[in-house]
Each structure stands twice: as C-alpha cells, then as structure tokens.
Amino acid sequence: MDFQVVVLAGGTAKNLIPLVSKEVPKALLPVANRPVLSYVLEHLEQSNLKDLIVVVEGQEAAVLVGNWISGAYVDRLHVEVAAVPEDVGTAGSLRAIAHHLTAKDIMVVSGDLVSDVPPGAVAAAHRRHDAVVTAMLSSAPVSGPSESGSSTGKDKTKKAGRYNIIGLDPTRQFLLYIATGAEVEKDIRIQKSILRAVGQMEIRADLMDAHLYAFKRSVLQEVLDQKDTFHSLKLDVLPYLVRSQLKSEVLLNGAPQAEENGNQKVNSQSNQVTLSGILANASTPSFHQLSVLGTNGSTRRTHKCCVYIADNSKYCMRLNSIQAFSDINRDVIGEASHLSGYSFSPQNNIIHPSAELGLKTTVGPHCMLGEGSQMGDKCSVKRSVIGRHCRIGSNVKVANSVIMNHVTIGDGCSIQGSVICSNVQLQERVNLKDCQVGPGFVVTAGSDCKGEALAKKEK
Amino acid sequence: MEARRASRTVSDPKVRHVGFFTPDPNPHPGRTPLASDAPVSNSLSPVMILPPRQPSDRTAAVPVPETGLRRQTGADQVPVGSYNPSESLLSSSPLPSSPSSRVGLVDGEFSEESGGWLRRSESGNYASSLPDTMVERAPENSASAAPRLESKKSVEVTGKGGKAVVEEQNEVQSSSKPLKAKTTKAERRALQEAQRAAKASGKEGNKSAAVSQGAAPVKPVKQPAQKKDGPPVSVSVVSFDKKGGDRPPEKERKKDVPAPRMQFDDKSRVQKAKKHAVVKQTEARNRVELFRHLPQYEHGTQLPDLESKFFQLDPVHPAIYKVGLQYLAGDISGGNARCIAMLQAFKEAIEDYSTPQEKTLARDLTAKISSYVSFFIECRPLSISMGNAIRFLKTRISDLPLTLSESEAKAALCSDIEHFINEKIILADKVIVRHAVTKIRDGDVLLTYGSSCVVEMILLYAHEMGKQFRVVVVDSRPKLEGQALLRRLVAKGLSCAYSHINALSYIMHEVTKVFLGAASVLSNGTVYSRVGTASVAMVANAFHVPVLICCEAYKFHERVQLDSICSNELGDPDAIAKVPGRTDVNYLNNWANKENLQLLNLMYDATPADYISMIVTDYGMIPPTSVPVIVREYRRDHVFL
C-alpha cells in the first residue's frame, strides 16, 4: 500500500525515571511481562506491516532493543533498528533516518502505544482525503489522573495529552487546531481564516493524541528540511501543518506533488483543468476548497490535516507516565485482555504452570503470575502483575501493583498501587503504598513508604 | 415480475388491479384466451395480486410518471397497440401472416420515432407498467417470435408492449372512475375488447400477435390502428396466456442463464458472493420489500471495516483502494467523476502492473481488472457509465496484439484510457455544451435539477457568451447536491433561484426550458438519472416546457428498462431518517431498526421517453427514440476506436 512505518521507540524517558534505566529503556518496560514495544510491533504485524524501522534514542538502548527484537521477531518481522542521538526529538529522529524513507506515505507510531485501533484505519483516512498529515486521536483515558510530569522537554516523554486542546471541523474529519498542555495556560489563538473557512469549530479537550501519524513523505521531509528548529512532531510539525493548511507553503516547492493535490492541478492543458474541475465538483467539497473558491480564483494552495478519531470501544493508551504504566498493566490483564495475547484461566487470571503457590494463597482475577515465581503461604494477590522468578514470602499482600522479574519480597509485606522493578529486594514487613522502586534497590525491613520513588543513586 | 407489476399498480391504483392480477394468476392460462377480457381480469386480479409480494412496496416503488401523462394526452393509450403485438407473440405461437406486419410496425415506431404520440405513449407505458421483468421475458418471447421479429430489440419491445397493453386496459378501467370522459372511453373499450375477444376466440386463439396490436390501439386515438390490425384479440386474454406460459419458462431461463445482475433476495447467491467480499457487508434488516433484490447494507459498518483492513488487502492496488474508499464514503459521486476516478485508478494500477511469470498480460490483467471491479462494486454498485468504461478497457486489453512487449502494452492501455477520458467525457462535454447553448435564448428561464456537471458547463458557457437568462436550481433532500451547483453558479454571477422539488409545480410556470443530466440513457429512450428527475420531467411536460437531457454518449446503454425498480441503487436509509443540523427533528431517532418501519432511499429513477423532448449528446441533439442508433453506432465505435 506504499506505506512505510517508523516506530519511535524513544530512549530512557525521564518522566519514567525510577522505572527505566540504562538496562531497561522505555521500549522494553514490561507490560504484563512483555516489553511494551512488542504491543506495537505485534499490532502492526497483525495489520500486515512487517517492514518496520524502529528508531531508538541512544546507542546503548538501541543495542538492547535491537537484540531483543532480533531475538523475538527474527523470522516474523523485518525490522531495521536505527539509533539516533539522545535529545534530538521526534522530528530529529525522522530527520536522521530521512534517507531511508521512500514510500509515498509514512506512518509514524510511538513505541509506547498500547492500542488495538487498526493502523489501517488511519492510513485509509489519510489516503481518502489525500491529506498531508493524519493524526489519530482517542478519547483521553479516564482512569487514574495522569501524572503530568514536570518535565516537558522531551516530546518523546511527553505526558499524555490530557490537556490537549483540539479543534475539529463539524464532520470531525479535519484538524483545525491543536495545542498541548503547556500552551494552554496562555490564551488560545485560533486563526480567523480557518474559522471563517470552516464556519464552525468544535473544540475538544477530551481527546488524546495517540501519537500515531500518517504523513505524506514529501511534505514531511520538506518541513523537516526547511524548519531546522522543529524538534518534535507533535509540538512543532503538527501544529505548523495545521496552522498553515489554508496557505500552504509546503507544496510550493514540491512541484511533483502538485498533482496529488486533487483540487488544484496546475496543468496548462485545458482538458486537465476540466477534468479536475469535474472531479472537484463531484466530490464533497471540504472547507479547503470552499475557502479557495471564496477568494475568487487566487491560487492559494491548501493542504488537509485530517484526524482519525478512534472508536470509544477501542483501547488506546500511551505509556508515558508512571501512572499510565500502572494503568496499562492493569488494563492489559483486565478489561483490555485481548491485547495481552495470553489465554486466561477460568478464574480470569494467568498463572504460569511453573509458578508455585503456597498454602492458602489466593490469586484473584485480573492477575498474572510469571514463570518460575514462588509465593509463600497466606498471600493474596489482587489485580497485579508479578514477573518471572520472583520469590515472595508468606503473608504478603499485593494489590494493584506491578512487580517485575527476580524480585524478592520478604514475609508480611504489603504492597499497594506500587511498581517494583527487577532485582529489588523487599525485606520483611515492608509497607509500600503508591511507590516506585527502582531496579536493584533494597528496601530495609519494616519501612513504611507512601507515594515515594525509591531508587539507587546513580553514580 | 409480478411484484413489479404490482408496483406499477401503485401509480395507477385503479388500473393496476387488472394488470397485476391477470399476470399473476398464471395458473389460469385457460381463462385467458377468450373470456371477457378486461372485466374478467379486473375481477380476478384482486385475489391474485396481493399475495405475490409486498403491499408496502407499491407505494414506494412505482414511478408516478405514467398516470400524469396518460391523463394528459390521449396518445398514451396508443402504446397499448404496440404492446399487444408482443403479447400475442409471447402468448401463443405467433401466426406468421398478420402479426408479422404489425411487429414490423412496432419496431418501426421504436426505432424511427415516427409518431410522436406513439413514442410517448409507449415509453410512458413501459416505464410505468413494465417492470424489470420485461427484459427477462423478452428473450423468451423472442425465441418464440423469432421468425417474425426482425431483431431481438423489437421483440423485447413488443413483449413490453404486451404487458403494457394489459396494464393499459386496467388503467382505462381505473381511469374511468376518476374522469368522466375516461370512464366513457373505458366503457367503450371494454365493449370493443369484448367484441374483439369474441371474434378472436372464434377465429384463432393464437393469432394473439395480431390481436395484440389491435388491442393496443384501444385508445380512441389509436383506434384506427386497431382496425388495421383487424382481429383485435382481447388484450387481457393475451396477457393471461403469456403469463401462464411465461412463468415456467422464466424459471428455466434463470437456471440456464445466470442473471446478469445479482438478485439480492436470492439468499444462496448472496451468501456465495459474500465469501469473496472484501468489504464487510451487513445487510440492512428492514429493506423495503419491493427492493429486496437490490443490495443494501448497513452503511455505518462498512467504512470502518474497510479502513481497518487497509494493510491487509494486498491484491488491491493503493490507487484502486483509495477510489473505492472514496466511493464508499461518498466523497466522489456523479457519473462522470466516478468514471474518471475509476479510469485514473486503473491507469495507475496498469502502470504499476507487471505480468507474473508464465502468464500472459492480456489474461492476467483482465483478471486483475475484474477483481478491482468487484472491489468497486462492493464499495458501491457500478454506474452504467462505469460499466461501459470497463467494457471498453477490457476489450482494449483483449485486443492487444500479442507481439507487444509488456511496457508497450501498458503504454498503449494507458493512452487508451487517456483517450477515453478525453474524448468520451471531456470533449463530449464540450460538444454537448456547444449544442445545448444554441437552445438557450435571451430571456430564458432554465431549470435544472440536482447537480449535473454538463448542465453546469452549459450554463456557465452560455453566461460567458453573454446570454441573458435566469436559472432555477431545484434540489432535494437528502443529498442537496444542488446547493453546491448553486454556489458555483452564483459565484460566477448568474442570476439564480433555488427551490426544493416540493415546490416544483409552482416554479415551473415561469420556466422556459428544463436541462437535466442523466446517469444513463437506455435504448428505449428511458433516462436513468438521479431520483427526482422523473418528477421534474413530468411536471415540465405537464406545463409544456421542453425537457432537454444532456448526456454523453458513453453513458448510453442498450438495456431496456421500463421502471426504476428492477435496477436501481439503494442509498443509506439513515440519510433520509436524519436531518443533519436539526436536532429538533428527531422523531426517527433509534427507530431505524423497528421491524415495522422500512426506509427507502432510492438513488435513481427512470424517466420515460415521453417526457423528454430531446437528448443532447456528443453526436448531436436527438429525440429519445434515436438512442438505439447511437448505442449501435457507438458500440461499433468502441471496437474500432
């Protein structure tokens, strides 16, 4: 279908800091005991997209991701892993791999997307409207307040767009305005020309930018080339394209692309003019065409920025905050269980056959117990994910938590709403609530923490 | 067939009983021959008719046109005569002597357009009375009548005519009630027919052919013709025979020859077709029964489903996919635009095509194109213009010399497609504009309906030439295409009026000419076009305003269609149930799935040739009766292009 897919897998995201580390880049964070990146890759694979470019920030992370991918998908996917320097942003990442891009359209997917929205739908909407960019929006997650991390720098690590202000046309097919949280504190400035052309704009704050875009390659490359300062697709490129949609600059130099812009063939042949006239008149005019008509024949160029709004029944989340991490883990083994790819037991949980449970230990529904984990007596696990080869003592209560691999938990611990990374050791009677424990950390016996991030000091 | 007839009854409530019923009762062939023709049929009809299919259908389906015309002009009845011959042929083994001459006459009428009244009446009759079935029957008839009939076309016509005759009789009777004058006519007719029937029975039951012709003339105007025919067999009798005899043959026919188009009330076939379908098609549940044979799907689910499969449809070329998506989403509509979009997509696909090993380009590419076409059909039923273009392309592919290399063949095909677009559509439009502009005079008030690109070009061109005229754009829900046209016209400085079709009769007073576009023109002169066109043409006709149809010749089709039931397209029923932008009009919210509610959003209708003064095409301005000539010539043109 002439689409190329770029997965932006990020690097070590700063707002996930206790969870990610040099050893575990964001892309490899486990969600229900699978790296989050696998959700994207398998989702794309289901759509028959098997030639992928995965862009990772940082050389080391790239190696890690590359190793994992080659191990897991060696015969299924054709993946090219490209490393880009850290801090180049999403736009910079694409700039760096621009020479690999050859297809007519490019689909850019964030590597932290956990979703079952068919990417084909976005691509189809893109093609149908012959758009310059199509963004996928989904309704913002209703669950737990997304922690709006104070770090705004890395677009890769941008928090969920809870404060996105999105302007749509009445048919909800075109994007008229987009602004993200930081900008919203100020006034919203909407261009009169767009408003005049559309007549009516629907402003929504309940939509999240899923960070899945389809771009017309020629336009994308042109924008990236011309605007060196653009750092982020979402914060710079997309708003720029949206802003300039009625006085498009992007297509001016790209003469070869002109013919793709259905309504304005600039062909000297009168036949061609008539032809495009017929086509343009017959198709439902978008406000773009109407606004051009309104200006009495001045040949302004326009381009279309479309949106695809995912159905509410679809699951769509980005793992871009710690809260999101817990939410996604919970959902993937809970309400969005079809994403996990596991088969659930009649009790609605997943217990690996090699896991050992002690006496009177209960594992409730929506739980997952990884391979080779052992649990002592009288434990209870509710709505939690426990990784591989964990050793959990007796009388431990785990609720709404994520416990990664090789974690040792002493007797009498109580863990609620927390994330415990790999190789952590919890000594006896530790009480954790809403905490994040970084990899390899040792929590001393009897500690009682609430809402803290515990991690080894990086040397 | 029966159902369709019933539909016709809708238009003329009274008449119908007779017509419908008589055919339905197939079982009673015996009756048909002699018994009191018209009256008998009438009496019988009520019993028979109702059961066959759907009472509900009638209202929706039947094209109104007939009644209006008939009442207006005495000529209407004339067609009966023409019909009758066909009936006779069908019903009985035709007798060579007398019938043949009549048949010839019938043919002549059609082809030559000789008698204005004849044409009109005939066309009107068919359209109204003869439903889809006509075509199907025609072959049978032709087989029997073959010796007599010169061409199949004529046979078909006659067959139609025969049916029409029956209907006419019915009509007459029915009409008699409403109009005093007509009643008298009807009575007279009844008498005449009875007498004739008696004669006929005495002479020859079979001579029906001749009889039929005689019967046709039932109307006072045509009566002379009847006399000529001599033995007017009772029309009703003839019809009975046909039906009795016809039915079994029809079934056989169906078995023998696969129906040209899918009948979507045939569940097994639909099931089969579904297996291959790319687009997920959920059939709409509450379909109007009369239109069950047409595809109708839940519109809501198709688009998202097709979209989500975007990357899974490897065999479909992206350009094809895009156009299909646009059809499905309604982004492209209008015969020309759809055709052009399709051809351009084909061109792109051909450019990217490479012949697999061990296959020949001609065959493999044809198969590819066919698969693309079926994809298009799943997105939206093809228009006739697209069908013609596809046929053109396929013949071009099959005619490719084997000696051509692949790249040469591809280049040749692409240039063929270009030529087709340029010559058959764009140049044709220009020629049509030239012709049509000569019909616009200063001070004219031109009415157009919906949005036709040719009509738009005509108006703009005439405006550029400095002619002083006004335009009335008539529009209708739910598409409101006229608004877009209006916007463009007003932007160019034309003085326009805009109205909805409901107010048509009020605005028609001041109109001097009506320009209409067409999706297709069929060889009996019937114009197949956006639904509502027939009403506009009829009203214009009633006001004695000339109706000019502007249609490129590539849209002509040799099919004969008498009504808009047999072949049509069903739109999204939601479009009529919901009024966009009016939240206060919400009476039908969530009602669409009520079992006792059926929504019908018909896309096209058939305008009988009677109401059409002239067809402006790239071959000149022709009367509707000349369409078959164009079709014939044009086809040859295709081959030699």
Side-chain angles (χ1 to χ4, degrees):
Chain A
M1 281 297 175
D2 215 4
F3 258 90
Q4 249 179 324
V5 182
V6 178
V7 179
L8 299 177
T12 10
K14 293 224 171 79
N15 58 353
L16 288 170
I17 218 55
L19 307 186
V20 297
S21 63
K22 286 267 187 293
E23 294 77 44
V24 185
K26 178 180 168 189
L28 298 183
L29 271 183
V31 169
N33 292 340
R34 277 167 50 191
V36 64
L37 189 57
S38 68
Y39 289 87
V40 172
L41 298 185
E42 275 167 32
H43 187 45
L44 293 173
E45 186 189 8
Q46 275 174 17
S47 297
N48 218 5
L49 293 168
K50 295 183 176 167
D51 288 319
L52 313 173
I53 300 175
V54 175
V55 185
V56 186
E57 284 185 0
Q59 202 64 45
E60 299 160 34
V63 172
L64 286 170
V65 173
N67 287 342
W68 170 73
I69 290 177
S70 56
Y73 295 101
V74 62
D75 48 350
R76 292 158 64 192
L77 297 176
H78 179 251
V79 180
E80 225 174 293
V81 178
V84 297
E86 301 203 34
D87 294 343
V88 292
T90 40
S93 309
L94 286 178
R95 249 181 232 126
I97 59 157
H99 55 282
H100 289 297
L101 303 179
T102 51
K104 187 175 163 212
D105 293 284
I106 309 291
M107 178 169 281
V108 180
V109 191
S110 169
D112 59 4
L113 183 68
V114 179
S115 165
D116 56 357
V117 181
V122 180
H126 183 70
R127 277 284 164 79
R128 195 184 122 202
H129 293 290
D130 213 356
V132 156
V133 58
T134 302
M136 179 169 106
L137 304 179
S138 64
S139 45
V142 281
S143 54
S146 118
E147 253 171 294
S148 55
S150 53
S151 62
T152 46
K154 307 288 153 303
D155 45 79
K156 207 71 62 67
T157 71
K158 221 168 11 192
K159 67 238 168 187
R162 293 216 69 212
Y163 302 108
N164 280 342
I165 303 288
I166 289 168
L168 301 174
D169 81 314
T171 62
R172 297 186 183 171
Q173 288 176 328
F174 298 105
L175 191 57
L176 307 179
Y177 179 78
I178 185 161
T180 35
E183 300 163 48
V184 174
E185 310 301 332
K186 311 167 213 158
D187 302 335
I188 298 185
R189 287 170 183 246
I190 291 168
Q191 280 161 298
K192 266 195 210 161
S193 58
I194 293 182
L195 200 51
R196 210 180 295 126
V198 187
Q200 195 178 349
M201 184 188 292
E202 184 177 324
I203 300 211
R204 315 248 318 232
D206 59 342
L207 291 175
M208 177 187 89
D209 182 352
H211 215 305
L212 190 158
Y213 307 113
F215 283 101
K216 186 169 278 183
R217 190 211 53 192
S218 52
V219 172
L220 178 65
Q221 289 188 331
E222 201 171 320
V223 171
L224 292 178
D225 286 348
Q226 286 176 354
K227 314 276 175 179
D228 301 333
T229 53
F230 281 2
H231 186 75
S232 149
L233 285 182
K234 177 175 176 175
L235 298 178
D236 300 319
V237 177
L238 185 58
Y240 167 75
L241 287 174
V242 170
R243 252 185 343 241
S244 61
Q245 57 184 313
L246 287 186
K247 43 183 197 320
S248 172
E249 298 156 18
V250 286
L251 292 175
L252 286 176
N253 319 5
Q257 279 74 50
E259 86 266 343
E260 290 165 12
N261 216 354
N263 51 340
Q264 39 203 346
K265 288 193 183 177
V266 197
N267 259 322
S268 51
Q269 282 187 323
S270 64
N271 275 358
Q272 294 295 340
V273 173
T274 335
L275 184 66
S276 55
I278 291 177
L279 283 179
N281 291 347
S283 51
T284 350
S286 69
F287 65 90
H288 300 93
Q289 281 140 295
L290 293 181
S291 83
V292 170
L293 283 179
T295 57
N296 257 337
S298 77
T299 53
R300 272 198 311 178
R301 292 168 169 279
T302 60
H303 60 245
K304 295 181 186 171
C305 300
C306 295
V307 292
Y308 175 82
I309 301 184
D311 198 78
N312 269 338
S313 62
K314 298 285 188 187
Y315 187 79
C316 183
M317 278 278 266
R318 289 190 59 206
L319 200 169
N320 50 8
S321 68
I322 290 167
Q323 180 64 46
F325 177 76
S326 325
D327 288 346
I328 291 175
N329 267 295
R330 187 195 57 215
D331 292 340
V332 164
I333 54 171
E335 57 195 39
S337 53
H338 57 283
L339 284 171
S340 65
Y342 296 106
S343 53
F344 285 75
S345 72
Q347 287 78 37
N348 223 352
N349 54 21
I350 310 156
I351 298 176
H352 196 275
S354 63
E356 296 172 21
L357 298 185
L359 278 178
K360 292 194 181 174
T361 289
T362 57
V363 179
H366 305 310
C367 284
M368 179 164 185
L369 200 51
E371 176 190 354
S373 287
Q374 304 168 357
M375 296 190 77
D377 302 339
K378 292 186 186 170
C379 293
S380 96
V381 181
K382 290 175 188 160
R383 295 187 151 270
S384 297
V385 178
I386 296 174
R388 300 183 190 89
H389 306 291
C390 292
R391 274 183 299 168
I392 297 174
S394 309
N395 234 345
V396 174
K397 290 190 170 50
V398 181
N400 296 324
S401 298
V402 180
I403 297 172
M404 297 184 196
N405 305 331
H406 302 287
V407 175
T408 312
I409 297 177
D411 297 347
C413 289
S414 156
I415 301 162
Q416 280 186 47
S418 299
V419 180
I420 296 171
C421 295
S422 301
N423 303 317
V424 168
Q425 194 180 351
L426 299 189
Q427 295 174 345
E428 289 83 36
R429 296 181 313 283
V430 169
N431 220 341
L432 295 180
K433 196 171 181 210
D434 301 333
C435 291
Q436 297 89 43
V437 184
F441 194 79
V442 180
V443 185
T444 49
S447 352
D448 192 350
C449 301
K450 238 184 189 180
E452 286 181 57
L454 309 170
K456 278 202 242 179
K457 291 272 183 287
E458 304 237 357
K459 285 152 196 168
Chain B
M1 297 176 58
E2 305 158 4
R4 291 158 191 177
R5 288 189 177 177
S7 66
R8 176 227 247 163
T9 51
V10 177
S11 60
D12 300 345
K14 307 156 188 177
V15 176
R16 293 167 194 166
H17 296 286
V18 180
F20 289 91
F21 297 117
T22 50
D24 294 344
N26 322 336
H28 320 277
R31 268 193 193 177
T32 56
L34 300 180
S36 62
D37 319 342
V40 171
S41 64
N42 289 337
S43 64
L44 293 175
S45 59
V47 179
M48 310 298 297
I49 297 171
L50 296 178
R53 287 191 188 176
Q54 327 76 356
S56 64
D57 304 350
R58 295 177 180 179
T59 56
V62 179
V64 184
E66 314 156 347
T67 59
L69 290 177
R70 290 175 187 171
R71 282 174 192 171
Q72 283 192 356
T73 59
D76 304 343
Q77 297 176 355
V78 175
V80 174
S82 65
Y83 290 4
N84 291 339
S86 65
E87 287 183 354
S88 64
L89 292 173
L90 295 173
S91 63
S92 61
S93 62
L95 297 182
S97 61
S98 64
S100 64
S101 64
R102 280 158 197 184
V103 173
L105 289 175
V106 174
D107 294 348
E109 292 175 4
F110 277 99
S111 62
E112 296 177 3
E113 336 148 356
S114 61
W117 51 274
L118 280 176
R119 276 187 258 152
R120 284 197 176 182
S121 63
E122 289 178 1
S123 65
N125 289 336
Y126 311 122
S128 63
S129 64
L130 303 180
D132 334 342
T133 54
M134 301 204 30
V135 177
E136 295 177 0
R137 286 187 178 180
E140 296 178 359
N141 300 337
S142 65
S144 64
R148 294 181 185 177
L149 298 180
E150 298 172 0
S151 66
K152 286 186 178 182
K153 285 183 183 178
S154 64
V155 175
E156 292 179 2
V157 172
T158 57
K160 296 172 182 179
K163 295 176 182 179
V165 173
V166 176
E167 293 177 355
E168 287 180 355
Q169 289 180 352
N170 298 334
E171 291 175 358
V172 173
Q173 295 173 355
S174 65
S175 66
S176 66
K177 297 171 184 176
L179 302 180
K180 296 172 184 176
K182 287 195 176 181
T183 57
T184 58
K185 286 181 190 173
E187 290 171 5
R188 267 184 261 149
R189 264 197 206 172
L191 270 179
Q192 284 184 354
E193 287 176 4
Q195 293 172 354
R196 288 176 198 167
K199 279 187 189 176
S201 64
K203 291 180 180 177
E204 306 162 352
N206 293 342
K207 269 200 175 180
S208 58
V211 174
S212 65
Q213 289 184 354
V218 175
K219 291 187 180 182
V221 178
K222 284 203 172 182
Q223 282 188 357
Q226 294 178 357
K227 291 171 184 175
K228 291 176 184 176
D229 294 345
V233 177
S234 67
V235 178
S236 65
V237 173
V238 175
S239 67
F240 280 101
D241 287 345
K242 287 181 186 176
K243 292 169 183 178
D246 284 355
R247 281 210 172 175
E250 283 183 11
K251 287 175 186 173
E252 290 172 10
R253 215 186 282 151
K254 278 184 183 173
K255 286 176 190 169
D256 296 345
V257 186
R261 65 179 54 224
M262 217 149 71
Q263 299 295 303
F264 284 80
D265 43 3
D266 182 346
K267 286 194 179 155
S268 61
R269 278 185 189 226
V270 171
Q271 222 49 41
K272 271 186 206 163
K274 262 192 176 178
K275 285 182 193 164
H276 309 289
V278 172
V279 184
K280 181 181 155 201
Q281 296 170 326
T282 320
E283 265 135 62
R285 269 190 295 159
N286 296 333
R287 289 186 288 176
V288 175
E289 295 190 31
L290 188 53
F291 292 94
R292 290 243 163 109
H293 60 286
L294 299 174
Q296 183 169 29
Y297 305 110
E298 299 279 2
H299 281 248
T301 58
Q302 280 177 286
L303 186 58
D305 185 71
L306 181 61
E307 282 186 339
S308 64
K309 280 199 268 187
F310 185 79
F311 291 112
Q312 279 133 355
L313 298 175
D314 272 338
V316 180
H317 189 274
I320 303 284
Y321 183 89
K322 175 181 164 186
V323 172
L325 208 57
Q326 287 174 329
Y327 289 163
L328 185 57
D331 289 347
I332 296 186
S333 60
N336 282 343
R338 280 169 70 196
C339 192
I340 293 173
M342 180 188 72
L343 287 173
Q344 287 180 333
F346 279 154
K347 200 176 130 202
E348 274 188 59
I350 289 174
E351 277 164 2
D352 293 349
Y353 170 83
S354 63
T355 317
Q357 290 201 329
E358 299 176 8
K359 293 198 178 175
T360 57
L361 178 130
R363 295 207 179 165
D364 190 57
L365 189 56
T366 310
K368 263 255 168 17
I369 298 281
S370 301
S371 74
Y372 294 156
V373 169
S374 60
F375 172 74
F376 282 142
I377 293 177
E378 283 164 31
C379 292
R380 189 179 161 187
L382 294 184
S383 68
I384 291 176
S385 57
M386 290 162 72
N388 284 344
I390 291 166
R391 200 163 52 179
F392 160 79
L393 180 60
K394 285 193 175 170
T395 49
R396 298 307 301 174
I397 293 175
S398 63
D399 290 351
L400 282 174
L402 288 173
T403 52
L404 281 187
S405 74
E406 184 179 313
S407 59
E408 284 169 334
K410 278 157 60 177
L413 287 176
C414 289
S415 74
D416 279 343
I417 292 177
E418 281 287 306
H419 277 155
F420 188 91
I421 295 177
N422 284 337
E423 287 170 17
K424 301 296 178 194
I425 303 180
I426 294 177
L427 276 182
D429 281 347
K430 287 182 178 163
V431 175
I432 290 175
V433 168
R434 295 276 151 64
H435 286 308
V437 160
T438 61
K439 296 293 171 195
I440 300 180
R441 298 198 199 102
D442 282 350
D444 266 350
V445 178
L446 310 176
L447 183 141
T448 185
Y449 174 72
S451 172
S452 156
C453 65
V454 196
V455 172
E456 180 184 352
M457 285 186 232
I458 292 168
L459 297 176
L460 293 179
Y461 186 70
H463 182 69
E464 275 174 27
M465 288 175 63
K467 301 205 174 186
Q468 299 298 316
F469 59 94
R470 286 191 299 129
V471 180
V472 178
V473 178
V474 176
D475 207 351
S476 71
R477 284 206 65 228
K479 288 207 150 197
L480 297 178
E481 296 160 311
Q483 294 192 354
L485 171 69
L486 188 69
R487 187 185 172 111
R488 294 191 291 267
L489 293 181
V490 171
K492 298 271 181 171
L494 279 78
S495 76
C496 296
Y498 177 75
S499 171
H500 273 209
I501 197 167
N502 325 20
L504 187 59
S505 56
Y506 299 95
I507 206 156
M508 195 59 86
H509 288 287
E510 47 174 319
V511 173
T512 56
K513 270 172 199 100
V514 174
F515 281 90
L516 297 172
S520 179
V521 176
L522 309 177
S523 63
N524 60 344
T526 300
V527 171
Y528 185 68
S529 188
R530 169 72 63 224
V531 68
T533 303
S535 328
V536 174
M538 279 184 287
V539 173
N541 189 274
F543 282 84
H544 303 293
V545 176
V547 177
L548 286 78
I549 302 287
C550 307
C551 182
E552 301 85 351
Y554 85 102
K555 290 179 178 172
F556 285 24
H557 197 276
E558 72 270 11
R559 187 198 300 168
V560 169
Q561 197 173 321
L562 300 182
D563 60 24
S564 40
I565 302 166
C566 56
S567 153
N568 208 320
E569 189 181 334
L570 298 178
D572 182 2
D574 276 350
I576 53 170
K578 289 177 186 156
V579 187
R582 286 282 301 278
T583 46
D584 52 325
V585 184
N586 55 0
Y587 309 107
L588 289 182
N589 282 4
N590 305 322
W591 275 62
N593 287 330
K594 289 268 180 194
E595 282 198 0
N596 51 356
L597 172 65
Q598 299 169 336
L599 298 169
L600 176 68
N601 180 10
L602 214 51
M603 303 287 278
Y604 295 99
D605 65 11
T607 310
D610 306 7
Y611 306 103
I612 296 159
S613 324
M614 179 189 287
I615 296 176
V616 187
T617 163
D618 27 336
Y619 293 99
M621 292 181 278
I622 56 168
T625 41
S626 297
V627 173
V629 180
I630 301 272
V631 170
R632 206 166 53 227
E633 296 301 312
Y634 184 59
R635 274 182 134 191
R636 190 184 300 155
D637 199 24
H638 260 321
V639 177
F640 296 144
L641 186 74

